[in-house]
Amino acid sequence: MKIDGKCYCGKITYRAEIDPGAVRICHCTDCQRLTGSAFRAVVAAPREGFALLSGQPKIYVKTAESGTRRGHAFCPDCGTPLYSSALEDPPSYTLRLGSIDQRAELPRPRRQIWCRSALPWSMNLAAVEKADRQ
Ligand SMILES: [Zn+2]
Ligand SMILES: [Zn+2]
């Protein structure tokens, strides 16, 4: 599936080709912190279909406990997280779901990981009172 992505301010745009069935959620504490949210939703895009179309993201280099270093790309102006990838010769880009224009068309994530650090309520949003608008 071909998708288009952009940051909130619109300075950075990209396109990619993804497997819509490969959406997943990460509840690790690093993702909570780096997104400023309860969890992160992502989908991987192979390098072949990925292209930055405009703007230059800032790259934050994050070192995992394992020592692996990954580049986390975000818009230097509006701060939107866009993707992460290996620092050199990345085989794929892990796109941040919220930056994808077609995110509402993607099916439910297939898998959620690091559930041991999930915020307990995030495991059942159906129990939270709903309003169509604020
Ligand atoms: Zn931006
Ligand atoms: Zn994570």
Side-chain angles (χ1 to χ4, degrees), residues 27-29 32 38 112-123:
H27 293 281
C28 84
T29 53
Q32 290 170 356
Q112 42 187 334
I113 59 174
W114 287 103
C115 292
R116 75 174 188 198
S117 51
L119 302 186
W121 54 263
S122 73
M123 295 276 99

Side-chain angles (χ1 to χ4, degrees), residues 92-125:
S92 66
Y93 295 82
T94 304
L95 308 177
R96 300 352 193 168
L97 209 70
S99 71
I100 297 175
D101 293 352
Q102 297 84 355
R103 59 190 177 275
E105 297 160 33
L106 301 176
R108 185 197 318 184
R110 189 175 283 168
R111 187 172 156 77
Q112 42 187 334
I113 59 174
W114 287 103
C115 292
R116 75 174 188 198
S117 51
L119 302 186
W121 54 263
S122 73
M123 295 276 99
N124 183 15
L125 290 177

Side-chain angles (χ1 to χ4, degrees), residues 49-84:
F50 179 85
L52 260 181
L53 301 178
S54 68
Q56 198 54 54
K58 185 168 168 61
I59 307 294
Y60 173 73
V61 177
K62 176 179 180 289
T63 305
E65 264 178 63
S66 61
T68 306
R69 284 152 44 92
R70 268 181 89 76
H72 287 242
F74 62 96
C75 174
D77 289 324
C78 69
T80 303
L82 296 160
Y83 57 85
S84 68

